[in-house]
Amino acid sequence: MPESAGARAHDVVLRHIEDSLRSGELKLGDRLPGERALAERFGISRASVRDAIRALEVMGVVRAATGSGPNSGTIVVSDPSSALGVALRMHVASHHLPVEDVVGARTMMETWALEHAAAAPWTSDQLDDARRLLDAMDDDALPSQIFTLLDSQFHVALATLAGNVVVSTMMESMREAIRGYIDDAVAHRGGWEDVVHVLRDQHKGILAAVEARDGALASRLVREHIEWFYNQSV
């Protein structure tokens, strides 16, 4: 398959992986053939194959490791949140995606997730990650940047309880974009010591509602929590 202006190398290799996964010829965890084999198979240069692998790594489709051994080579991993996360971070940073719209999308997903989590078949053990994150955020000596990292992970952990893989993936991909606008707000607003106490109380109320399987309350509290902080930052 010769290279052409209309068929970029990574498109060719990606189509091959997609077709192979669909047919069962390739499974998650399998290794791709080496550079030379792919170049010969598709009629493209080895440099183009390397560019294709780099693009697929950024997209979260493969993981490439040099050297030898069981973890070497290019392995199909399929991490869709990686590609979505990179795109969101870049668009928010360039102001192409307004923060208000990111907050609106986040609110829509989280309220839906916590409402549906009430009837989902999760166990108390599955809340352990959220509890640990909540405990870690209680440290008064915690820098705001670490708090916001734990905060974003806390929200992802709760959204995952709904059991919807697509929503979980989208929440994971939004994690850094969410953290980014929160960090910016903290840096420009000041008064972090006052804000953090409110956030802790709000987090505890949300978790208590989730534990009680009160979906309506959990959904309302997380909406109020997100909107309260956003209103503090504008």
Side-chain angles (χ1 to χ4, degrees):
M1 185 183 295
E3 240 180 322
S4 68
R8 291 176 297 173
H10 74 267
D11 289 334
V12 174
V13 179
L14 180 57
R15 279 201 302 272
H16 164 68
I17 294 174
E18 182 182 356
D19 291 343
S20 298
L21 285 168
R22 189 175 288 121
S23 68
E25 177 187 347
L26 196 62
K27 300 182 293 298
L28 296 183
D30 285 351
R31 284 176 177 74
L32 295 184
E35 274 183 18
R36 181 176 180 179
L38 287 171
E40 291 175 352
R41 177 167 188 167
F42 298 116
I44 59 180
S45 68
R46 293 183 68 168
S48 292
V49 170
R50 282 192 292 274
D51 289 342
I53 297 303
R54 289 192 199 101
L56 293 171
E57 276 194 282
V58 171
M59 294 170 66
V61 176
V62 301
R63 183 184 70 243
T66 58
S68 58
N71 296 319
S72 64
T74 303
I75 302 172
V76 181
V77 293
S78 185
D79 178 11
S81 66
S82 174
L84 287 169
V86 169
L88 278 169
R89 288 198 302 274
M90 294 302 103
H91 286 306
V92 171
S94 67
H95 306 289
H96 183 71
L97 290 179
V99 170
E100 183 180 6
D101 290 354
V102 174
V103 173
R106 175 193 178 186
T107 302
M108 179 174 60
M109 283 192 292
E110 289 201 50
T111 53
W112 181 95
L114 295 196
E115 184 173 352
H116 284 74
W122 50 267
T123 66
S124 179
D125 289 346
Q126 289 176 265
L127 276 180
D128 283 348
D129 282 346
R131 293 190 189 100
R132 282 193 291 268
L133 290 164
L134 206 59
D135 289 343
M137 283 186 279
D138 264 343
D139 182 357
D140 287 330
L142 209 61
S144 63
Q145 296 91 340
I146 302 301
F147 183 96
T148 58
L149 172 62
L150 299 174
D151 185 335
S152 61
Q153 291 173 334
F154 172 77
H155 283 272
V156 171
L158 291 185
T160 301
L161 297 175
N164 186 300
V165 177
V166 175
V167 169
S168 298
T169 299
M170 292 174 71
M171 277 298 300
E172 178 62 37
S173 70
M174 288 184 71
R175 184 164 59 86
E176 286 302 313
I178 292 168
R179 185 188 173 201
Y181 85 73
I182 292 174
D183 280 342
D184 286 345
V186 170
H188 290 97
R189 181 187 182 279
W192 172 245
E193 293 77 12
D194 296 329
V195 170
V196 71
H197 291 300
V198 177
L199 295 177
R200 285 176 181 145
D201 288 342
Q202 290 174 342
H203 286 154
K204 290 171 184 175
I206 294 166
L207 182 61
V210 171
E211 287 184 296
R213 292 188 177 272
D214 190 337
L217 178 59
S219 177
R220 177 172 66 80
L221 291 177
V222 82
R223 177 185 294 276
E224 291 173 355
H225 167 67
I226 295 168
E227 292 178 350
W228 177 84
F229 185 84
Y230 178 64
N231 289 333
Q232 299 298 306
S233 67
V234 294

